[in-house]
Amino acid sequence: MKLIKSTKIALLAAAVALPTGFSAVEAMAEEVTIKLWSRADRSGPMRAGNIVGAAQTLNNMLAAAGSDIKVTVEVHENNAKGFDADALDVMKAFAADKGPDIYVAAHEWIGAFVEAGYAMNMEQHIAANPDFYSDMIPVLWESVTYKGQRYGIPQDSEIRMFFYNKEMLRKIGKSEDFIEGLPAAVEEGQFTLYDLADLAAEVVEKGAAKYGFVHRPNVGPDFQMLMASFGIELSDPASGKLKMDEAKLANFFTWLKYAVDKGALPENMTSWSWDSVHQAFRGRESFMKFHGIWNVPHQLKIMNLTEETYFNELGWLHSPAEKQGGRPANLSHPIIYVVSEESEHKELAAMLVALASQHVPNTKHAVSSGHTPIKFGQAAMPEFVEDGWALRAGARLLPYATFMPNHAKIGPYNAIVYKGIQGVETGRISPEDGAAFVVEELQAELGDDVIIVGGS
């Protein structure tokens, strides 16, 4: 009995000495292998690399605490073409009892992983380790939240917004106060989407641009920031289901028709190629374009701009509100770390994620891959100051970020909405009929996964 008692005391002491969240049971182990699943992505190799690097830091912490445990990370790199395909492969691995301890995913899949029982609730871990997470940019937590609980950690972020050409505004006689004041006017709710369409049409009418604004020519999430400007909520927080408001969608489609009729938006926009879209803005034919911050390196090269001259010619705007006094929006699409609920070493896996998400490793990933930071303090780090000037500027837009719903069927949802966009822009269908068509298609294809409100 004395031996058993002394062993329990030793284990308890070891557990207390370990980092927050570790258990005495884990302290008994000598070597633990954490399996990591990450899509092979040349644009973001440090998503996996930072977890591997975190293992050395964690082992140093464990050694300092007097523990014999040693953590190694075994990496599985999946060759899926995209994050949707990768997520489905992760699901298959879990179904075959071969799931990882940690995996990298696009944030919108978190709901599906939670419902399947493959995602650890991170609330207790986050609360127990405030030093690791207190500097997180708060809005990013929305990207990992499902039914009010956080089930992942944001790994990076981005911004999708409107780019506008200041030189074109100068050519039509706009003052510097007006030109440089547009971002503030948008944030204050004084410059609306209708004002944007009017301004874009004016630039075309006065001969400074061939096109007012251009957008992506295929299905994608970019349109969701415009929908947010019209107050369209794409999901229901309580149920986790997708959502559509038919009346507000009709308002969005009415604005699209207004933009086409005014000459601000080409009516055949949805039939363009990506090369044509990019060339229109980079070739200084289009006054505006809405897309992502990763366009900046191409703009610098093709438009012959530098850090010193970039913001003299180009500016960035949130998607303005529909009406005066409304709130603007932009879109971010974080990639996230998820710890498996089925992992035998959840606490260790969560600590690896925490360490990999700290300022130094995350900054190396962000600056090298063109992503905005996940923490406020990163913007002051040397890498961001020296090489990440555009990313630091983008970080200032994050408080207005919106996110795709954390639902596995957001892809089909986006595809149906895009059909409505095509129909309205080409004039084949009225805004009201377009909204009714989208709602009918959503109900037919998604059934109980979507909630419809605001119908006629």
Side-chain angles (χ1 to χ4, degrees):
M1 290 293 293
K2 288 183 179 180
L3 179 61
I4 294 174
K5 184 177 180 180
S6 63
T7 300
K8 288 183 177 180
I9 292 174
L11 288 174
L12 179 60
V16 171
L18 292 173
T20 306
F22 286 13
S23 66
V25 174
E26 286 181 321
M28 296 173 60
E30 292 186 357
E31 185 167 344
V32 173
T33 298
I34 300 294
K35 296 182 179 180
L36 168 68
W37 181 298
S38 180
R39 188 170 75 89
D41 185 356
R42 289 181 296 176
S43 67
M46 296 188 74
R47 292 189 176 111
N50 282 346
I51 294 289
V52 174
Q56 183 59 56
T57 302
L58 180 55
N59 286 332
N60 292 340
M61 293 168 63
L62 291 166
S67 172
D68 292 330
I69 191 171
K70 182 178 181 181
V71 175
T72 59
V73 177
E74 179 182 301
V75 181
H76 169 78
E77 287 195 320
N78 189 27
N79 291 315
K81 291 183 178 181
F83 280 104
D84 288 351
D86 182 63
L88 293 173
D89 286 344
V90 175
M91 287 283 194
K92 292 176 184 176
F94 276 119
D97 294 326
K98 296 181 180 180
D101 298 285
I102 304 169
Y103 50 100
V104 179
H107 79 85
E108 64 269 23
W109 280 89
I110 194 67
F113 286 120
V114 171
E115 293 295 341
Y118 302 146
M120 172 185 171
N121 188 319
M122 301 293 281
E123 290 293 341
Q124 185 174 348
H125 165 75
I126 294 168
N129 296 280
D131 290 345
F132 287 140
Y133 297 110
S134 60
D135 195 35
M136 185 73 71
I137 298 172
V139 70
L140 296 178
W141 285 125
E142 295 179 19
S143 69
V144 297
T145 299
Y146 183 70
K147 294 183 179 180
Q149 299 287 298
R150 290 171 289 187
Y151 288 90
I153 303 298
Q155 192 275 325
D156 62 21
S157 66
E158 61 173 34
I159 290 292
R160 305 185 191 206
M161 69 293 200
F162 276 93
F163 298 87
Y164 70 101
N165 191 304
K166 298 177 182 179
E167 286 294 339
M168 293 180 180
L169 292 178
R170 295 185 182 108
K171 288 179 181 179
I172 65 171
K174 298 298 182 181
S175 69
E176 288 300 312
D177 286 344
F178 175 85
I179 294 169
E180 297 299 336
L182 274 176
V186 169
E187 289 195 1
E188 294 166 3
Q190 299 305 308
F191 187 86
T192 70
L193 272 170
Y194 280 91
D195 293 327
L196 181 148
D198 289 343
L199 181 62
E202 182 183 357
V203 174
V204 174
E205 182 181 351
K206 292 183 177 179
K210 184 177 180 180
Y211 309 109
F213 68 89
V214 293
H215 61 62
R216 68 181 301 135
N218 59 6
V219 177
D222 305 28
F223 302 102
Q224 293 180 11
M225 66 179 181
L226 292 170
M227 295 165 71
S229 291
F230 284 88
I232 299 173
E233 296 178 350
L234 277 64
S235 63
D236 175 62
S239 67
K241 293 183 178 183
L242 294 168
K243 185 178 178 181
M244 177 55 76
D245 186 313
E246 183 176 344
K248 291 180 179 179
L249 183 64
N251 291 340
F252 167 44
F253 286 171
T254 296
W255 174 80
L256 282 177
K257 184 177 187 304
Y258 179 86
V260 171
D261 291 346
K262 289 282 292 188
L265 176 65
E267 65 178 9
N268 63 343
M269 186 76 256
T270 55
S271 66
W272 285 29
S273 67
W274 266 118
D275 287 343
S276 298
V277 172
H278 294 318
Q279 174 57 30
F281 189 76
R282 297 171 190 166
R284 298 178 171 89
E285 295 180 314
S286 179
F287 166 54
M288 304 185 83
K289 170 190 177 185
F290 65 90
H291 201 211
I293 195 170
W294 57 88
N295 281 264
V296 171
H298 300 289
Q299 292 167 352
L300 289 169
K301 181 178 180 180
I302 296 171
M303 301 178 76
N304 196 28
L305 300 172
T306 66
E307 176 182 350
E308 291 72 29
T309 63
Y310 183 89
F311 284 117
N312 182 62
E313 178 166 352
L314 302 182
W316 301 345
L317 298 175
H318 308 295
S319 174
E322 173 194 8
K323 300 175 181 178
Q324 289 270 336
R327 180 178 173 83
N330 60 59
L331 182 73
S332 186
H333 183 236
I335 303 303
I336 64 174
Y337 288 130
V338 188
V339 175
S340 169
E341 175 62 23
E342 296 190 344
S343 172
E344 296 179 1
H345 310 289
K346 288 196 286 287
E347 291 85 357
L348 287 169
M351 190 57 64
L352 283 176
V353 168
L355 293 169
S357 303
Q358 296 312 295
H359 297 71
V360 172
N362 190 266
T363 293
K364 291 179 179 178
H365 160 76
V367 173
S368 65
S369 62
H371 286 86
T372 47
I374 61 172
K375 297 186 175 179
F376 286 117
Q378 290 178 248
M381 297 186 70
E383 293 93 335
F384 268 104
V385 172
E386 295 169 9
D387 301 317
W389 58 271
L391 302 175
R392 284 193 296 121
R396 292 196 290 269
L397 305 184
L398 281 171
Y400 290 85
T402 59
F403 307 91
M404 284 197 289
N406 290 329
H407 196 288
K409 292 187 179 179
I410 186 60
Y413 180 105
N414 283 339
I416 292 169
V417 172
Y418 187 73
K419 290 180 181 178
I421 291 170
Q422 281 184 309
V424 171
E425 288 186 1
T426 57
R428 297 197 307 267
I429 194 169
S430 71
E432 294 76 16
D433 289 344
F437 163 79
V438 167
V439 164
E440 183 178 340
E441 289 290 300
L442 288 174
Q443 290 175 315
E445 186 163 338
L446 303 184
D448 290 339
D449 284 316
V450 63
I451 297 170
I452 304 298
V453 296
S456 57

